[in-house]
Amino acid sequence: RQVYLNSENWKKTNEKNLSLVCRAELMRENLLQIYRKQALDENEFEILSALTLGYKRELDPETKRVFSASGASHVLAVSGLHVGIVFWVISIFFGFMKKYKTGRLLFAVVVISVLWFYAFLTGLSPSVMRASAMFSIFVIGENINRKSNIYNSLSASAFLILLINPNNLFDIGFQLSYAAVFGIVYLQPKIEKIIVVKSKYLKFFWSLITVSFAAQVTTFPLTTYYFGQFPTYFLITNMLVIPAVMILIPLGILMFFTSKIYFITNIFAMSINLFI
C-alpha cells in the first residue's frame, strides 16, 4: 500500500501492530508463493490467483478487458460463486457428518469456520462477506431444523455487513452482489419454468443460462451506469466459464495441500494451464 503524507504528519516509532487485514495479506502472500513455485504459465498464474485468492494486482489489463467485454469479469472477483463452490466442496467431503446428531453440529462448525477463513484469505471483501454470512445463516438454520427464508438471509447478511462498515453501501461490488443475488432468487425460478427440461445434463446448462440471465437483468442498470457497457454474449460465456471455474477453484485449493508432493502438483498445474 502507499500513502502520501507531509513530513510533519508522521514519525517512525519502530512499533509493529498488524491489523486483521494486514495479517490476511501476509497469509495470502505465502499462498501466492506456493503458486509461483509451480509449473504455471504467467497468465495462468495471474488468473488462478484472482479466481482462488482474489489477488488481482498482477492481472494483465488486456486480460481484464477481455473478461469484462465477454461478461465473465465476475469470476475474477471472489464472490458468492466462489464461496458457493467452496461450500459445495466441503459438503462433498464432510456431508456424511449430517447423518449423525452430533455430526450435524460439527458439520456446521466446520462449514462456518472454513467459509470465514476463506473470506479472511481473500481480503474480507463485501461480496465474500455477504456470501459467507448467507451460507452461515443457512447452515445454522438447517442445524436447528428451521426452514430459512432466502430474503431474510439476504437482508440479515446486508444488515451485518453494513453494521460493520456502513460505507459498504456505496461499494460497487456490494451493490452488484446484492442486485445479482436478488435477481437469481426472484427471477431465476420464474425463467426456469418457461421451458421444462427433464434431462439431468441439459437441466444443468439450462440452469446456468437462467441464473446468468436473471443476474444480468437486475445488474444491468448498475453495469451500464458505472461501466458504460453491456456484454451481449454473456450467456455463451458463462456456459463455458462457470463449469471451468467449478474445476479450477478446487484444483487451486488442493494445490496448497499437495505443494510438497511434486508429482501431484505437476498434474494439477498441467490441468490448470489447460482449463484456463
Side-chain angles (χ1 to χ4, degrees), residues 2 28 35 56 95 105 125 130 148 151 158 174 181 227 257:
Q2 289 181 330
R28 182 165 65 172
Y35 280 163
K56 296 184 289 184
L105 178 62
S125 66
R130 184 265 308 161
S148 60
Y151 297 108
F174 180 89
V181 174
F227 309 117
F257 298 99

Side-chain angles (χ1 to χ4, degrees), residues 27-170:
M27 188 173 288
R28 182 165 65 172
E29 187 56 41
N30 289 333
L31 295 176
L32 287 168
Q33 291 303 327
I34 294 174
Y35 280 163
R36 288 189 176 100
K37 291 175 183 176
Q38 309 310 321
L40 294 169
D41 297 336
E42 186 179 353
N43 198 46
E44 280 67 17
F45 159 75
E46 293 168 2
I47 293 174
L48 183 67
S49 300
L51 281 176
T52 55
L53 297 172
Y55 182 80
K56 296 184 289 184
R57 287 176 214 159
E58 295 183 28
L59 264 180
D60 182 67
E62 179 61 15
T63 302
K64 287 182 181 179
R65 190 197 66 78
V66 169
F67 271 80
S68 178
S70 62
S73 57
H74 62 93
V75 300
L76 293 179
V78 175
S79 61
L81 170 66
H82 304 70
V83 176
I85 291 170
V86 172
F87 178 77
W88 169 63
V89 171
I90 299 167
S91 298
I92 290 172
F93 285 103
F94 298 100
F96 68 91
M97 292 180 178
K98 292 194 284 186
K99 295 178 182 178
Y100 311 100
K101 192 174 180 181
T102 53
R104 287 168 66 89
L105 178 62
L106 188 60
F107 175 77
V109 171
V110 169
V111 168
I112 293 170
S113 301
V114 171
L115 288 181
W116 283 101
F117 181 68
Y118 182 67
F120 173 74
L121 283 183
T122 54
L124 295 171
S125 66
S127 55
V128 177
M129 288 174 66
R130 184 265 308 161
S132 299
M134 279 191 65
F135 277 109
S136 299
I137 292 166
F138 169 76
V139 170
I140 292 168
E142 188 181 49
N143 198 57
I144 58 175
N145 295 317
R146 294 289 181 92
K147 188 178 179 182
S148 60
N149 181 296
I150 191 67
Y151 297 108
N152 286 349
S153 300
L154 196 64
S155 302
S157 64
F159 175 75
L160 289 171
I161 291 168
L162 293 175
L163 199 64
I164 295 165
N165 183 4
N167 284 322
N168 281 326
L169 184 63
F170 307 102

